[in-house]
Amino acid sequence: MEGQMVQQPGERDEGCSICTKPAVARLTFPDRLLCADHFRMDCEERVKSAIMTMIAPGDRIAVGLSGGKDSTALLLILTEILDTPGDVSLTAITIDEGINGYREETRAAAKSLTRQLGINQIEITFSELYGHDLDVMLTGRENEACTVCGVLRRRALLEGARRAGATKIATGHNLDDESQSVLMNVLRGDLPRLVMDTASGYPDCFIPRIKPLSPLSEKEIVIYLMVRGAFPDLPECPYAHTALRGEVREMIAELELHHPGTKMNLVTARDRIRELFGGDCATDALPGSGLVTWCRRCGEVCSGDICSVCRVLTELPMDF
Ligand code: SF4
């Protein structure tokens, strides 16, 4: 099993398992100590071997770039391991939800990174798409921030990917995010989300979503950014504490501490369940199958009368 966990080496000066330089991290499955150079190579190799099953020559990849650590690492690694411009092309998509005191800094970080890497960037704002900033839409319902924001961000990213003419959407979800999503879907009893593989996509309906950082844990991403001198020291979203994800994160972190491999086991279990359901669930859910229809308000693909974006906007306490 290629499960990963990073621990700082102990108090003793321990050397890299491959060369003589001091180790910066201990990884498990298999157990190894790595110096900064070999740690960076190890991370890039694991992402490279994961992404080879996700993309094809000629793909135009829209990369969700918030400017935070995960998306920064994603863009850095993709520009390092992919032949661009060449077999594939990258366009960064940055969404400005309109979160006062938070988004200004991350937007500036995203813009600076794309300039440094020479990557095209498309910026999309909630006020442009939905008529208002998130802060305004959340008045009186701040405790639903991440639910509202998550639905609207997914649509905004899709819009950015369409403007870029993208064939794939890449997001910075890591192993921790993936394991949390598995548990959250179980806790909500949301079987469709648990089994739906959004990497499948389908022409004209869905742009496939890929998660190249899924082999790396959050700690590994932090260390990767540090060894590359690119750790973005940015504020946390003021709404982050309202998410169920925060509680699930703490629960899984505790389990991982006492039972190493828990995160990877959750993701592996989900992948096996998807195989049992036939793997390509998105294809089974095509319009015409009765499982997926078109939203009668906006015309987007959805699973009922009205899509989640229109439902969220309708439920807001203002006339949107
Ligand atoms: Fe949106 Fe919640 Fe993420 Fe903030 S923490 S950007 S509200 S999803």
Side-chain angles (χ1 to χ4, degrees), residues 97 99 102-103 134 145-146 149-150 153 237 239-240:
E97 305 89 346
I99 302 174
Y102 166 63
R103 243 328 152 220
L134 184 69
C146 293
C149 179
R153 272 165 61 96
C237 174
Y239 299 115

Side-chain angles (χ1 to χ4, degrees), residues 105-320:
E105 284 188 60
T106 54
R107 270 183 71 193
K111 190 174 279 298
S112 151
L113 183 67
T114 52
R115 279 203 189 122
Q116 179 199 325
L117 297 173
I119 302 284
N120 287 336
Q121 184 193 27
I122 293 175
E123 283 193 291
I124 295 193
T125 66
F126 272 20
S127 62
E128 165 201 350
L129 281 190
Y130 308 118
H132 296 274
D133 287 345
L134 184 69
D135 283 339
V136 175
M137 291 191 248
L138 289 177
T139 307
R141 54 187 300 187
E142 290 81 2
N143 59 342
E144 296 170 58
C146 293
T147 307
V148 173
C149 179
V151 166
L152 301 183
R153 272 165 61 96
R154 269 194 295 281
R155 175 67 58 83
L157 186 55
L158 178 63
E159 175 60 26
R162 284 174 175 159
R163 290 183 194 177
T167 54
K168 301 269 162 68
I169 297 174
T171 58
H173 293 86
N174 57 43
L175 177 63
D176 292 61
D177 298 324
E178 288 291 86
S179 63
Q180 289 154 18
S181 295
V182 173
L183 193 50
M184 284 164 67
N185 287 331
V186 170
L187 293 173
R188 289 175 175 143
D190 194 340
L191 185 64
R193 268 191 188 276
L194 186 67
V195 299
M196 174 75 88
D197 184 0
T198 53
S200 306
Y202 192 79
D204 303 326
C205 295
F206 310 103
I207 298 178
R209 287 171 177 259
I210 59 172
K211 298 170 183 174
L213 295 192
S214 54
L216 304 185
S217 70
E218 196 173 311
K219 282 184 185 170
E220 287 174 316
I221 288 170
V222 168
I223 296 174
Y224 177 86
L225 289 168
M226 284 177 164
V227 302
R228 291 205 57 176
F231 185 79
D233 191 12
L234 294 165
E236 190 183 27
C237 174
Y239 299 115
H241 67 280
T242 65
L244 168 65
R245 188 174 286 275
E247 291 172 51
V248 169
R249 177 187 292 126
E250 282 176 27
M251 206 186 299
I252 294 179
E254 184 75 14
L255 285 167
E256 179 74 36
L257 190 65
H258 299 293
H259 309 282
T262 294
K263 292 174 195 169
M264 184 56 77
N265 289 342
L266 279 166
V267 174
T268 304
R270 178 206 61 192
D271 292 344
R272 291 200 177 133
I273 291 170
R274 284 181 176 171
E275 282 168 25
L276 289 174
F277 272 79
D280 194 358
C281 296
T283 303
D284 292 342
L286 291 176
S289 68
L291 293 173
V292 166
T293 55
W294 307 104
C295 173
R296 65 178 159 83
R297 291 188 69 165
C298 71
E300 287 286 345
V301 171
C302 69
S303 58
D305 255 11
I306 295 182
C307 71
S308 49
V309 170
C310 289
R311 201 168 48 243
V312 159
L313 292 176
T314 311
E315 286 167 0
L316 292 172
M318 299 174 63
D319 183 16
F320 289 100

Side-chain angles (χ1 to χ4, degrees), residues 22-128:
V24 297
R26 178 189 295 280
L27 276 66
T28 56
F29 309 120
D31 191 39
R32 59 216 191 271
L33 283 162
L34 297 176
C35 66
D37 290 342
H38 283 111
F39 177 78
R40 176 178 166 174
M41 278 189 256
D42 188 286
C43 291
E44 290 171 358
E45 273 308 311
R46 278 187 281 143
V47 173
K48 191 172 184 174
S49 81
I51 203 171
M52 287 311 153
T53 63
M54 302 173 181
I55 62 167
D59 263 338
R60 297 180 300 279
I61 305 176
V63 183
L65 178 69
S66 68
K69 58 182 174 26
D70 294 327
S71 60
T72 296
L74 175 62
L75 199 59
L76 284 171
I77 295 179
L78 291 184
T79 50
E80 196 68 34
I81 65 176
L82 295 177
D83 179 18
T84 58
D87 282 352
V88 297
S89 65
L90 302 176
T91 302
I93 313 292
T94 301
I95 313 295
D96 180 0
E97 305 89 346
I99 302 174
N100 194 26
Y102 166 63
R103 243 328 152 220
E104 298 86 349
E105 284 188 60
T106 54
R107 270 183 71 193
K111 190 174 279 298
S112 151
L113 183 67
T114 52
R115 279 203 189 122
Q116 179 199 325
L117 297 173
I119 302 284
N120 287 336
Q121 184 193 27
I122 293 175
E123 283 193 291
I124 295 193
T125 66
F126 272 20
S127 62
E128 165 201 350

